[in-house]
Amino acid sequence: MSSSTKLIKNCPNDSTFDLPPLSLDADGIAHDFKHYYVHTFGRDRQCLSAHYPYQALATTVRDRLMERWKTTRQAYDESGCRRAYYLSLEFLMGRALSNATFNLDLDEAVARGLRTLGLELEEIASTEPDPGLGNGGLGRLAACFLDSCATLQLPVRGYGLRYEYGMFRQVIENGAQVEEPDHWLREGHPWEIERPEFTQRIQFGGRTETHRDQNGRIVVRWVDTHDVLAIPYDVPVPGYRNDTVNTLRLWKAAATDEFDLDEFNAGSYTESVAQKNAAEHITMVLYPNDASENGKELRLRQQYFLASASLKDVLRDWIRLHGHDFSRFAELNCFQLNDTHPAVSVAELMRQLLDEHHLEWNEAWDITRRTLAYTNHTLLPEALERWPVRLFRQLLPRILEIIFEINARFLDEVALRWPGDIDRLRRMSLIEEGHDPQVRMAYLAIVGSFSVNGVAALHSRLLVEGLFRDFYELWPEKFNNKTNGVTPRRWLAMCNPGLRDLLNETIGTGWTRHLEQLSRLAHYAEDSALRARWHAIKQANKARLAEQIHDLCGVDFPLEAMFDVQVKRIHEYKRQLLNVLHVIHLYNRIKHGDTADWTPRCILIGGKAAPGYFMAKLIIKLINYVARVVNKDPATSGLLRMAFVPDYRVSLMEVIAPGTDLSEQISTAGKEASGTGNMKFMMNGAVTIGTLDGANIEIRDQVGEDNFFLFGLTAEGVESLRGHYDPNVIIANDPALREVMNLLESGYFNQFEGGLFDPIIHSIRNPHDPWMTAADFRSYIEAQERAALAYRDRERWVRMSILNTAHSGYFSSDRTIADYNRDIWRLQPVAPRPVA
Ligand SMILES: *Cc1c(COP(=O)(O)O)cnc(C)c1O
């Protein structure tokens, strides 16, 4: 037993925990900062690294969280309340220091305290690396949800993985994406507390054995396994100025201290020790694929590792408090599965209840189906997870047996409902038959859950009409919608201090908790004095963004131009390509002298491509190659600029959203489940140009059609066009698109690399282009012209901008979480005893 898990006879007595509250004023903070800087981190006058001021300040602020963390845990324990757990392979938390100081209302005290020491809070906060434990929207949603749960004082714990390497850092070299490893833990992570006392043991491999116990019951044992330890690291999640601090528990994989005895005895000491490495690989790296799965064994290991460790953690706590009586377990616990990534939880919860806690099948199944809830995040069939049965058999043999048993009982239920409907049985089976049979994880999640939700109204409707139609016919009551939201603390109050102050002055301060109060702003759209201030704030935010663009891309964005922004993962369905075609069209107009009544524009595009996604990487190249030609042509001066911002991430978005005029949300209708970037832009007063896709539809409903630039086919239009879509006819009949294609095909943007963009050209001209880029070109160009015209009328544009913020209240993740809670979790808020 290592020293960290060894128990001692004498526990620290109560007076150990009887501490006076820590000071929240500037002097107290400066005092603690000095203590950590000098005594704990041992720094002296030669301050060379920005790292230690950050460490000292983070530790000072963390102490204040620690007090509230303890009282929150006590309040939950004492109330015996029902709890929910958010299981997610990704949590894209963003920087913690500025969030903690803001949510604790310590900004002023910290800034003043630091100033007495000759330091600047903003400068120190900006040195914090982004913990990038997520790919994009799905991981960021998990982070917004945790913020809202803590703010609403709901007993919700996040469970995830503590990847050693987060999302890769993106560098652009000669226009191409290059991935660099993100070893974010190298400098230490002051926001986590290791909790080795809650370590769990996770099984892999081996085989199963069946025998009967003394009561004649069949008992299955999973033996000869290769076990891995799961060590939890807890990260505090502060609520907004309410003394609640919830927990995000991240698991790290570690080897057991056992050796492979055969190897060991054969004298292979070093080989035996080296084997331990394999165990630690499980949480080594985040898979950088957004919206696509690639069937790698290590990924399935990660999924099971998270599911098993988290469920064991909750069950151990249950047994500590209730013994082996599980009769109230489902009443008091609920697990929300963030997509199918943790869907193996369905079988794993069954396994733990059956094999480890000796419940009968029916009782275990009843508990499972009453505690699990599943959120779907995609409409792309290729992104629906499937795992080969043979991989399960080899890696998780006991889990596979349970999945087969669940499937057999489920198919009996289907057969009873639709006698003789063999085709339906085949369609609905958890196992897809074929030469390499697959486990359908989404179906496993649906069968094992009491709730299945989509993340925007259109998405939820398309799910029950399409992908999950058979299941909807069987269990209509399970299906529901929960339109996504984002936290207004990080995405408005923190990232846009100028607008925050104006809002506080104009409509009071209640909006940070009750974002619907932003609607009070609507009638100020007619107040010209307010409009002038609104405009000045936007221009200041654009100046801050332009400075970043200058530093990162070497491109100058003039502030009087419209800032037209598309930042998100690079994917064909998101259609960055359509954006580029518009830029080429504008460039072509400039070259033809068609610039009367021109609206100057700066187009910013950013986002990472999955390292193995060829087309996405080629699109990044095209963006950079077009940008280079446009920016260096003297004809575009004052009219058009374009830049690709490298390494798009949370902290960059905190600068981009406040400085954006026009938000590009131009996915092929029916493909973007919800989008959340669209909501961050709207809150910060950007106007959207977008398709009727995902939450864009609800954004337009809220803000009104006059304040949204709509274009493109509907989801139904896209589907009914399939089969007779003819992009070549569209190109031939549209002079503007024809000229754009001519420029592309002439190699104008790739002078010395002939054929470089042929795959892109072919995809646009392909009648089977799933994203129908050419179909929406004309409509997009016209919407862009309406946007340009609107921008030239400053008063009109500012009015639209104000109304976008005013009607963004619905997109607070507080509203989303209140909906989850009302319909799925049914938790009571629990307030901790205030500290001091
Ligand atoms: C909000 C956010 C996303 C999601 O953007 P979408 O436009 O909804 O795809 C992705 N990455 C980061 C860093 C974000 O902050």
Side-chain angles (χ1 to χ4, degrees), residues 241-389:
R241 301 181 188 180
N242 63 4
D243 280 326
T244 289
V245 176
N246 279 347
T247 300
L248 168 60
R249 179 160 284 181
L250 300 177
W251 300 101
K252 172 195 161 88
T256 60
D257 273 336
E258 294 147 19
F259 292 92
D260 183 322
L261 277 180
D262 292 341
E263 287 221 29
F264 190 68
N265 292 332
S268 316
Y269 168 77
T270 45
E271 287 70 16
S272 175
V273 174
Q275 289 250 322
K276 293 156 71 66
N277 246 327
E280 300 182 347
H281 283 163
I282 292 177
T283 51
M284 193 58 73
V285 60
L286 167 74
Y287 275 89
N289 301 310
D290 185 72
S292 75
E293 293 305 326
N294 59 9
K296 289 285 192 313
E297 177 188 322
L298 183 60
R299 171 75 175 179
L300 182 58
R301 279 186 194 270
Q302 290 182 338
Q303 296 185 350
Y304 181 69
F305 183 76
L306 170 67
S308 184
S310 309
L311 293 169
K312 284 188 174 195
D313 198 47
V314 173
L315 289 190
R316 175 155 70 190
D317 222 37
W318 177 265
I319 288 162
R320 180 174 63 82
L321 295 169
H322 304 87
H324 283 265
D325 177 3
F326 285 93
S327 55
R328 295 188 67 206
F329 185 81
E331 192 185 311
L332 292 176
N333 293 283
C334 178
F335 298 92
Q336 190 73 42
L337 309 179
N338 197 21
D339 213 320
T340 53
H341 311 155
V344 70
S345 298
V346 172
E348 173 62 9
L349 181 54
M350 286 299 288
R351 189 195 65 79
Q352 290 182 22
L353 294 173
L354 294 169
D355 299 356
E356 295 184 3
H357 305 296
H358 312 295
L359 272 61
E360 301 288 346
W361 181 279
N362 286 337
E363 193 185 358
W365 186 236
D366 180 65
I367 288 173
T368 300
R369 281 185 130 178
R370 286 170 59 209
T371 42
L372 297 183
Y374 157 53
T375 304
N376 172 283
H377 284 273
T378 185
L379 285 158
L380 304 179
E382 65 270 28
L384 282 186
E385 279 191 293
R386 290 144 64 250
W387 289 104
V389 166

Side-chain angles (χ1 to χ4, degrees), residues 120 149 151 239 289 324 351 448 566 592 609 625 680 705 745 776 784:
E120 276 297 326
C149 289
T151 296
N289 301 310
H324 283 265
R351 189 195 65 79
Q566 186 177 23
H592 284 81
Y625 280 42
K680 300 165 198 165
E705 57 181 65
E745 286 165 343
D776 280 345
Q784 288 286 19

Side-chain angles (χ1 to χ4, degrees), residues 636-657:
T636 63
S637 177
L639 302 179
L640 186 61
R641 282 291 173 268
M642 184 186 198
F644 184 89
V645 62
D647 204 32
Y648 174 57
R649 61 195 186 281
V650 170
S651 59
L652 248 189
M653 186 54 165
E654 289 169 10
V655 180
I656 292 172

